[in-house]
Amino acid sequence: MDKPVTLILGLGQLTGEAVARRFADAGHAVIACDSQAKRVEKFSDNLRDKALVQQEDLHTRIGLKNCLAAAIEAYGHVDHIVSV
């Protein structure tokens, strides 16, 4: 059975990273999206092998579609969506 896939929309200051780490430690495949390049870069550095990360504008339809599409392209499905 494939591992569950969790999509995290928005990283916040530290909340998104903590949520991503918790899901990854529980065996989930994690993909996170945020609109701020600094957060995306920091997140990528901190959770290198535990999560995929993508920069997208989360306040537009196309940004949200791109996040979901990235998760589906990488893993084939999404089981959970967490909005921070």
Side-chain angles (χ1 to χ4, degrees):
M1 183 173 171
D2 292 333
K3 59 176 143 179
V5 177
T6 299
L7 172 62
I8 299 173
L9 301 174
L11 295 173
Q13 295 300 320
L14 295 172
T15 306
E17 184 178 330
V19 170
R21 190 176 305 277
R22 180 68 67 111
F23 276 105
D25 289 346
H28 291 233
V30 175
I31 183 165
C33 297
D34 196 272
S35 59
Q36 293 188 12
K38 287 183 180 181
R39 287 184 189 160
V40 169
E41 185 177 322
K42 180 182 175 194
F43 184 86
S44 294
D45 290 344
N46 291 345
L47 293 172
R48 286 184 204 279
D49 298 330
K50 293 189 175 191
L52 298 177
V53 64
Q54 183 164 325
Q55 184 179 355
E56 290 291 343
D57 184 1
L58 301 178
H59 300 288
T60 64
R61 284 185 186 180
I62 191 70
L64 292 171
K65 284 180 182 180
N66 288 343
C67 292
L68 186 57
I72 291 171
E73 185 174 319
Y75 300 112
H77 67 284
V78 173
D79 296 296
H80 307 100
I81 298 176
V82 177
S83 180
V84 177

